[in-house]
């Protein structure tokens, strides 16, 4: 017989776990949030998560708190909003206070420097897996041609022309809203 967790506690725990284990800030915790939000609890599906992430990235501020606020409110209203934000902020705040004290004490240690360097490839792989999952979902919903057009445009706009990501996302939304329905 399974133990049933109240929804407010589940919302808090989902974001607490994702942010407790998400070393490296918001972008590093996104795959962990995805696992909690989509895979474990099913609060959003792939498409909804992708759209929420794109919209959240176009707004100013930390992405982890925007995801928490959106999902928490969507799942359980204002109590869910507060629970998700608490689950997102508490691990970072407590860890920051204690880790800064430790890092200040051992800042010249080669072990501390090595640990920081070893975590970077793990974060990169987690982000690649999340990107692969979202790309597969995009290709499944809009097809290869539109996916390649949007990805190519975004690559050029961001890399070559240095256009702000918010404008690139708005243009991708416009392409999806006006061009894709015509095909």
């Amino acid at each position: 017989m399974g133990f049933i967790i109240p929804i407010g506690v589940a919302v808090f725990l989902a974001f607490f776990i994702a942010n407790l284990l998400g070393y490296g800030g918001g972008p590093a915790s996104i795959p962990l949030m995805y696992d909690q939000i989509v895979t474990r609890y099913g609060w959003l599906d792939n498409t909804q998560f992708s759209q929420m992430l794109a919209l959240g990235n176009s707004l100013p501020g930390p992405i982890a708190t925007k995801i928490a606020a959106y999902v928490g409110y969507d799942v359980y209203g204002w109590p869910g909003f507060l629970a998700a934000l608490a689950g997102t902020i508490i691990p970072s705040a407590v860890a920051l206070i204690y880790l800064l004290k430790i890092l200040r004490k051992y800042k010249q240690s080669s072990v501390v420097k090595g640990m920081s360097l070893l975590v970077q490839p793990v974060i990169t792989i987690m982000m690649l897996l999340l990107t692969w999952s979202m790309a597969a979902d995009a290709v499944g919903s809009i097809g290869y041609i539109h996916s390649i057009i949007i990805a190519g445009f975004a690559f050029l706009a961001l890399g070559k022309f240095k256009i702000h990501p918010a404008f690139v996302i708005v243009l991708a939304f416009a392409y999806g809203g006006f061009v894709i329905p015509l095909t």
Side-chain angles (χ1 to χ4, degrees):
M1 187 155 124
F3 178 71
I4 298 181
I5 301 172
I7 189 72
V9 175
V11 169
F12 174 83
L13 287 175
F15 288 98
F16 183 82
I17 290 167
N19 286 285
L20 182 66
L21 301 175
Y23 175 81
S29 63
I30 291 172
L32 298 169
M33 287 187 205
Y34 174 87
D35 181 61
Q36 294 289 316
I37 295 166
V38 177
T39 308
R40 181 165 186 191
Y41 291 105
W43 292 326
L44 300 176
D45 61 25
N46 274 339
T47 303
Q48 292 168 324
F49 187 85
S50 300
Q51 291 170 348
M52 183 238 354
L53 183 61
L55 181 61
N57 275 323
S58 69
L59 299 171
I63 188 65
T65 54
K66 290 181 280 190
I67 292 173
Y70 177 85
V71 174
Y73 185 80
D74 189 51
V75 170
Y76 195 52
W78 287 108
F81 172 86
L82 295 172
L85 283 179
T88 300
I89 294 167
I90 289 172
S92 302
V94 171
L96 184 63
I97 291 167
Y98 288 108
L99 288 176
L100 284 176
K101 288 180 180 182
I102 294 169
L103 285 176
R104 188 175 299 145
K105 185 175 180 179
Y106 298 106
K107 66 182 173 184
Q108 299 303 323
S109 168
S110 60
V111 173
V112 171
K113 291 177 184 176
M115 285 180 1
S116 295
L117 290 174
L118 289 174
V119 170
Q120 292 174 359
V122 173
I123 294 169
T124 302
I125 289 170
M126 290 171 61
M127 291 302 291
L128 285 172
L129 291 172
L130 179 63
T131 302
W132 181 263
S133 173
M134 289 183 175
D137 192 48
V139 168
S141 63
I142 64 173
Y144 284 103
I145 295 172
H146 293 298
S147 296
I148 290 170
I149 289 170
I150 291 171
F153 168 76
F155 180 75
L156 288 174
L158 294 169
K160 184 171 181 167
F161 299 112
K162 307 294 185 212
I163 297 174
H164 191 277
F167 295 121
V168 175
I169 292 169
V170 168
L171 291 172
F173 279 150
Y175 180 88
F178 294 113
V179 175
I180 292 176
L182 299 175
T183 58

